[in-house]
Amino acid sequence: MITYEYPFNERIRTLLRLEDLFEKTAYFAQEDGPQEHHTALISLFEILEVAGRADLKMDLIQELERQRQTLLAFRNNPEISEEALSGALYEIEQSSAALLGMTGKIGQYLRENDWLMGIKSRAAIPGGVCEFDLPSYHWWLHRSADERRSALEGWTKPMLPLRDAAAIVLRLLRSSGRPKDYTATGGHFQLNLGGSAAQMVRVTLSVEEPAIPEVSANKYFLNIRFTRPPAGELKARGCERDVPFALTFCNL
């Protein structure tokens, strides 16, 4: 199965972007090649941009506290595993403490590194990080894989509380909904949401299904148009047959 997620607000959109970028950074940093480590560093620069919202850290702290209070209400409930509940509460409390321990502007230590910021500014230019533009970066890319990996881990580690908090919030969000089966007749599907409080919708279909959902939605209305996978066409073409899929509305 393949799942497409569509956030209904900017806060969830930001968390999904952070999740994606942290995953890319971790994946490429664990490899050995200089090109992979270059990609990891570029992803880290993108995290710096996405996480630059002044209220992101406080938003996460407030959401974690809200979830902690919700879970506390399940104390002494015989239908709830006390061990699982305690584990979830501990994870939330540890994540909140780590966020509170982040002082100053997010990623400020990176912004104060002139060498890294020089690479960041050149990376925005097509081909801007060639060795004749940044010989010191060329030299760094020829260090041992372990040396480069250690540097990447050191630059990433101070921002890991953001990754962990976002992971908790998104995990709780995704688990909040229950999928329901639908069929898009002729590749189109519409649903009146009637002022729904959903924060994200998930569209799941078979990975073998040759259809791609294009979602537009707000709290009142959901529209999904399925298109055929591109095969050299200049633009997407509508899928004209019925498409079975599952829809999950998620809300914390």
Side-chain angles (χ1 to χ4, degrees), residues 32-178:
D32 292 333
Q35 297 304 322
E36 286 84 353
H37 288 174
H38 168 73
T39 303
L41 185 58
I42 297 303
S43 296
L44 182 60
F45 291 152
E46 292 181 14
I47 290 172
L48 186 63
E49 292 299 319
V50 174
R53 279 182 47 207
D55 55 349
L56 176 61
K57 185 175 77 172
M58 190 53 61
D59 277 353
L60 283 169
I61 291 172
Q62 290 174 350
E63 185 58 50
L64 289 174
E65 177 59 22
R66 195 165 71 86
Q67 294 305 315
R68 190 181 77 87
Q69 293 297 331
T70 299
L71 292 176
L72 282 173
F74 290 102
R75 285 285 197 197
N76 302 318
N77 187 326
E79 297 181 1
I80 302 296
S81 167
E82 197 67 26
E83 182 179 355
L85 182 60
S86 296
L89 285 168
Y90 177 78
E91 184 181 22
I92 288 175
E93 289 163 1
Q94 290 294 104
S95 182
S96 294
L99 283 175
L100 287 169
M102 295 178 70
T103 58
K105 187 176 181 180
I106 293 174
Q108 187 59 33
Y109 66 98
L110 293 176
R111 295 183 181 90
E112 293 173 352
N113 186 318
D114 292 339
W115 183 71
L116 285 177
M117 289 302 97
I119 298 170
K120 181 176 181 293
S121 63
R122 293 297 307 178
I125 302 171
V129 293
C130 288
E131 65 268 21
F132 54 83
D133 285 312
L134 292 172
S136 64
Y137 185 48
H138 186 60
W139 175 87
W140 183 80
L141 289 173
H142 280 74
R143 299 302 89 203
S144 70
D146 287 340
E147 187 176 342
R148 293 194 308 269
R149 190 178 298 107
S150 177
L152 286 167
E153 289 174 354
W155 296 327
T156 306
K157 187 176 180 180
M159 287 200 288
L160 291 185
L162 283 179
R163 179 201 66 181
D164 297 340
I168 292 172
V169 172
L170 289 174
R171 186 173 70 242
L172 292 171
L173 179 63
R174 287 171 176 136
S175 65
S176 68
R178 294 293 178 268

